[in-house]
Amino acid sequence: MGQTTRLWAVLAGLFSIVAAHDVANQKVDQLAAALKDTNGQIETTDNGVQVNTSNSLRAGPRGYNLLEDTTVRKKMIHFDRERAPERVVHALGHGAYGTFSSYGDFSNLTTACWLRDGAVSEVFTRFSVVVASVGGSESGRDTHGFATKIYSECGNQDFVGNHLSSFFINDGADFPDLIHAVKYEADKGFPTGGTAHRTAYDFFGQHPEGAFQLMNVLSDLGIPRDVRHISGNGVHTFRFINVEGKSTLFKWFLLPKLGHRSLAYDEVTKIAGKNNNFQRVDLYNNIAAGIYPEWEFAVQLFPDDGSYMWNGYDLLIPTVIVPFEKNPPVKLGKLTLNRNFNNFFAEPESISFAPSNVVDGVSFVPDPLLQWRLMSYDDTATHRHGSPNGFTLPINRPIAPVNNNYRDGYMQPYIFEGNSTSTPNDIGGVQEPGANAALHYTSAGERAGAGPVGRYVAQYDWFGQARLFWNTLDNYAQQHTVDAYRFELGNVGNADVVQRYIDNTLDKIDTCLARRVAYGIGATMPPANTTASRSTMQRRSNSSQAEFPSLYPLGMGLEPNKSNEGLQVALVANDTLGTEAEVQAMMSLLSAQKVSLTLVAPRIGMLKTGVTANASFITTSDVFFDAIFIGSSIISNGTNSAGLDTDPYNFVMEVYGHGKAIGALGTSGSAILNGLGVGGEAGVYSGSAMDVTVGVLDALAGPVRFPQRFTTDDVEAICGAA
Ligand code: HDE
């Protein structure tokens, strides 16, 4: 290669990096152009005439409204149609903007431009829950959606995943049935936000392939603290294609740099009542405070030999997961969420994701669940927007040029020039891309598509996969999962459906699990068969002994030294509890870790101690805090044994009951803790403000919760000796 051409190549390379960077700004500029600022403007009708629309036009001060009051009528007509249909699933959601940065040049794998060296693309990510409708609680136990749209220079690339790695069904044909079964009972209209009911467990009982996923949802993974502490999972296998047409199969993940955190189930139910928007508030406020959550985009790679099998794992069955220990994911890039949206309806509500939105270099496999998704999302978006032109909305518009012969349709925003509306054409219309634009790929002999036409049901050891997860859980995590099954099945209200699920699903996974669930809800316990359960009963201390610890990222000790960024702690204070000096001492340590402190007292404002409370036991609740502190007592008022009045007492004891860290400051600290009967317990600290704050921060970064406080079953009594 000559001197000059090499120089040109380097320049071209440099230019592409510069272009990539600008790509991110291009979307920001495109969105900025769509912003409409009506603040301070004179009110007008929709035809631009300034008018008062706050008072009806009437025949005299006490007369009838006039039909010719077109102003208010138009206002009313628009208002009556402001609600667009909510999503049929994942209706309850929120999101934020950010960037996707590639960690290097991955053109060996794919021609996708968002994985080029130095490529930075703007993104929008929407988080959601599957079952609840708009207005429900985001913290509810459910599968959480994690959908990201990358506005790359070669087109929009959507990754529409969930926070859990598997799914409930293998064939999209069953999806409407799944959703009908988990949503409210048609003849009652309830429950509207969960699966603890008859039709759901009748369905789950018929679909053992979903047993692993359901157990994930019923473990503490199903009740994440917030969306900054969940991972994204593509579930399906996808295909990378590089410029030579080489196909490599992959499963994608978004791994949270902050690690995983969950709530306690009792907290979930209380947060649902006290602030059903807890998760969107957490994301919004953290981004507003400059605390930007990040995830690493990682892929498990599988050679494409045309069989869609890898080491015995069937890559065409979406419910089958490949443990990270077997195929460690490779990190290719980073997602950072760093900008809140301007308008909820125009952005998180109107965005339309579709797994079919891929750029050249990314493609699909013949997975019957994925295949139906390639149809459904575009279809439902057209319904939701009441128009096939939803892709022209600012939030859905790519930065890459869109030129095609889509014409007309409701709310078509463009005035297309010229008369050519077909391709191919020789009259100067839209031209076909060159032959090599077609997405050709070679895989070592595509065999999966071969065989007689028919309706097939995938076969796999469903119960084995669920047992693998059950055996990964430590005994506290198992207890929480047993309690969740008891809550769900205990509310089904149909003994046959319950017993069938226990006998035909849980007993096949683990007899001891089935017996414990049955025991708790008064159902018939399957006969004990200690042989099968011996392994579980022995493996009860912690999950690190498990074969695939990655299956349960909340496992004790799996994510040590987690960042505490964006967590919230409270200091319980009143006119005799808490000093300004200890508040200052705590603040220096807490702000260094970007942990926010709220001072909670019987009233908001300046207390006799000189401390200013910014919340009260009425305006907030202990369930919103990850740990709490009790201010040092400047006098002991002896109002009750612990020296705490009812509200602070309940506040502290509920935190204790949820297994969270508690710190009592100053010399009075240990007396107050002993008074509460929790002195010396794990996760309970007393001493100087500095020492206690360090202790609590280490607890938040380490064990986070102290499950030793929770009651657990007498497993041997229920399941027989180990
Ligand atoms: Fe969805 N799914 N889904 N889904 N899904 C929708 O599209 C569908 C599935 C997921 O924040 C809908 O725009 C079918 C798996 C997320 O806007 C709809 C099947 C996974 C979101 C739809 C599945 C998902 C949706 C409803 C089985 C995890 C929210 C509104 C064949 C990998 C996206 C909409 C957002 C939304 C259909 C299965 C994730 C109806 C037919 C598996 C995160 O099109």
Side-chain angles (χ1 to χ4, degrees):
M1 181 196 276
Q3 185 67 13
T4 28
T5 36
R6 191 169 293 112
L7 177 64
W8 276 119
V10 172
L11 277 177
L14 269 179
F15 179 75
S16 75
I17 291 172
V18 173
H21 187 65
D22 292 345
V23 165
N25 293 329
Q26 271 182 41
K27 183 62 189 176
V28 175
D29 300 345
Q30 185 196 74
L31 288 161
L35 286 177
K36 181 160 179 57
D37 183 359
T38 58
N39 292 322
Q41 303 303 317
I42 304 295
E43 187 170 11
T44 73
T45 59
D46 57 18
N47 61 332
V49 178
Q50 294 187 354
V51 72
N52 161 347
T53 74
S54 308
N55 308 101
S56 299
L57 199 60
R58 299 173 62 186
R62 301 171 56 72
Y64 292 98
N65 285 28
L66 296 183
L67 186 57
E68 76 174 42
D69 187 355
T70 57
T71 302
V72 176
R73 190 173 65 237
K74 283 188 185 182
K75 179 180 177 181
M76 201 62 78
I77 286 171
H78 192 283
F79 168 75
D80 293 345
R81 292 162 182 75
E82 282 184 1
R83 291 280 71 70
E86 70 170 29
R87 292 166 172 80
V88 63
V89 280
H90 296 267
L92 180 62
H94 58 109
Y97 288 102
T99 57
F100 181 92
S101 337
S102 178
Y103 278 165
D105 168 36
F106 299 104
S107 52
N108 59 323
L109 279 176
T110 173
T111 56
C113 63
W114 46 275
L115 281 174
R116 279 204 201 122
D117 199 10
V120 179
S121 312
E122 184 74 358
V123 305
F124 190 91
T125 290
R126 181 176 182 270
F127 299 99
S128 54
V129 285
V130 174
V131 178
S133 280
V134 169
S137 169
E138 287 143 8
S139 311
R141 183 185 292 283
D142 199 351
T143 303
H144 289 248
F146 192 150
T148 296
K149 188 182 289 293
I150 300 177
Y151 305 99
S152 85
E153 66 180 326
C154 53
N156 284 355
Q157 170 75 54
D158 292 3
F159 284 109
V160 194
N162 278 342
H163 91 293
L164 296 171
S165 58
S166 182
F167 202 65
F168 300 93
I169 53 172
N170 283 320
D171 188 333
D174 298 327
F175 191 69
D177 309 275
L178 165 67
I179 300 306
H180 288 170
V182 297
K183 288 254 181 182
Y184 61 77
E185 306 249 338
D187 61 346
K188 299 182 188 65
F190 59 79
T192 57
T195 54
H197 60 97
R198 181 166 173 257
T199 54
Y201 277 82
D202 171 56
F203 183 92
F204 294 145
Q206 324 275 342
H207 290 271
E209 70 270 31
F212 172 87
Q213 174 79 353
L214 183 61
M215 194 184 284
N216 272 244
V217 174
L218 297 184
S219 77
D220 289 350
L221 285 174
I223 46 176
R225 177 195 183 283
D226 59 68
V227 295
R228 297 176 303 116
H229 294 95
I230 60 173
S231 57
N233 301 266
V235 178
H236 311 280
T237 304
F238 292 86
R239 184 190 305 276
F240 276 141
I241 304 167
N242 70 10
V243 72
E244 284 99 35
K246 180 169 180 302
S247 159
T248 307
L249 306 179
F250 72 97
K251 283 181 181 284
W252 67 264
F253 305 90
L254 283 162
L255 308 174
K257 297 195 81 171
L258 294 172
H260 296 77
R261 288 179 189 266
S262 78
L263 295 167
Y265 189 65
D266 185 57
E267 279 179 307
V268 166
T269 57
K270 289 176 175 152
I271 288 177
K274 293 177 184 284
N275 178 359
N276 61 335
N277 299 136
F278 178 74
Q279 297 199 343
R280 68 180 64 184
V281 171
D282 171 272
L283 181 68
Y284 193 95
N285 289 352
N286 273 284
I287 290 176
I291 301 174
Y292 303 145
E294 296 187 318
W295 291 261
E296 294 195 288
F297 177 78
V299 291
Q300 289 179 308
L301 296 170
F302 311 96
D304 181 3
D305 61 6
S307 68
Y308 297 107
M309 293 297 292
W310 184 83
N311 286 14
Y313 291 97
D314 190 330
L315 302 175
L316 288 186
I317 304 180
T319 58
V320 170
I321 55 103
V322 180
F324 287 0
E325 290 80 1
K326 288 267 183 171
N327 183 315
V330 183
K331 295 173 178 169
L332 303 183
K334 184 171 69 177
L335 168 70
T336 305
L337 297 183
N338 55 18
R339 190 161 61 85
N340 282 320
F341 50 83
N342 293 286
N343 177 277
F344 186 83
F345 179 81
E347 293 157 300
E349 190 56 23
S350 297
I351 194 165
S352 304
F353 296 95
S356 55
N357 284 339
V358 295
V359 302
D360 274 354
V362 178
S363 183
F364 316 110
V365 300
D367 155 350
L369 189 75
L370 175 58
Q371 294 290 311
W372 278 113
R373 296 184 68 203
L374 299 181
M375 167 266 177
S376 171
Y377 291 68
D378 300 316
D379 176 49
T380 202
T382 304
H383 162 67
R384 227 163 30 88
H385 298 304
S387 157
N389 295 313
F391 68 92
T392 64
L393 291 170
I395 190 67
N396 292 323
R397 213 178 293 164
I399 56 166
V402 174
N403 296 305
N404 52 38
N405 293 311
Y406 294 16
R407 289 292 182 275
D408 313 343
Y410 282 134
M411 294 307 293
Q412 170 57 254
Y414 300 124
I415 304 172
F416 290 98
E417 296 187 72
N419 65 352
S420 172
T421 54
S422 63
T423 300
N425 65 73
D426 288 331
I427 57 172
V430 171
Q431 297 305 312
E432 286 177 316
N436 61 14
L439 212 54
H440 297 304
Y441 65 84
T442 51
S443 69
E446 178 89 15
R447 286 197 303 277
V453 170
R455 298 189 186 282
Y456 297 89
V457 178
Q459 296 309 325
Y460 187 74
D461 176 8
W462 313 120
F463 301 122
Q465 184 170 268
R467 190 176 310 117
L468 209 53
F469 181 73
W470 172 249
N471 290 342
T472 306
L473 304 177
D474 61 44
N475 63 342
Y476 298 113
Q478 284 189 345
Q479 186 63 54
H480 296 172
T481 308
V482 166
D483 293 345
Y485 277 114
R486 287 175 176 164
F487 172 83
E488 298 267 305
L489 289 166
N491 282 293
V492 160
N494 179 294
D496 298 339
V497 169
V498 169
Q499 199 60 50
R500 267 203 304 275
Y501 196 78
I502 290 172
D503 297 343
N504 303 343
T505 301
L506 295 182
D507 190 31
K508 302 248 177 5
I509 297 170
D510 183 279
T511 301
C512 185
L513 162 65
R515 289 178 61 85
R516 290 172 69 179
V517 173
Y519 174 81
I521 59 173
T524 309
M525 290 199 281
N529 106 19
T530 48
T531 40
S533 308
R534 191 172 304 289
S535 61
T536 16
M537 286 149 74
Q538 269 145 2
R539 195 201 299 278
R540 276 187 283 156
S541 56
N542 63 45
S543 53
S544 59
Q545 295 154 332
E547 193 178 357
F548 304 123
S550 70
L551 293 182
Y552 189 66
L554 291 168
M556 207 59 91
L558 222 57
E559 292 177 339
N561 312 322
K562 264 202 274 282
S563 156
N564 289 331
E565 270 186 33
L567 297 187
Q568 308 198 53
V569 296
L571 173 68
V572 172
N574 61 24
D575 287 329
T576 59
L577 275 182
T579 67
E580 193 50 33
E582 58 198 19
V583 170
Q584 292 317 317
M586 295 168 68
M587 281 307 291
S588 61
L589 292 166
L590 294 172
S591 42
Q593 297 197 17
K594 299 184 181 167
V595 173
S596 68
L597 173 66
T598 300
L599 293 124
V600 185
R603 68 182 188 285
I604 292 175
M606 175 71 83
L607 303 171
K608 292 202 181 93
T609 55
V611 168
T612 302
N614 54 359
S616 76
F617 296 111
I618 290 173
T619 61
T620 190
S621 163
D622 56 83
V623 290
F624 299 139
F625 299 102
D626 301 285
I628 64 163
F629 299 84
I630 305 168
S632 62
S633 167
I634 52 179
I635 57 165
S636 58
N637 59 13
T639 51
N640 62 31
S641 60
L644 294 182
D645 303 338
T646 310
D647 285 343
Y649 176 87
N650 294 341
F651 193 96
V652 174
M653 291 317 287
E654 186 158 73
V655 168
Y656 182 81
H658 290 148
K660 294 188 276 192
I662 299 173
L665 311 179
T667 49
S668 62
S670 51
I672 288 178
L673 293 173
N674 295 338
L676 293 168
V678 300
E681 295 272 348
V684 177
Y685 308 88
S686 63
S688 73
M690 296 294 269
D691 295 348
V692 168
T693 307
V694 169
V696 168
L697 285 170
D698 290 350
L700 287 173
V704 182
R705 302 241 170 197
F706 299 87
Q708 312 79 324
R709 301 173 195 167
F710 304 148
T711 49
T712 55
D713 291 345
D714 177 347
V715 175
E716 258 139 45
I718 298 172
C719 299

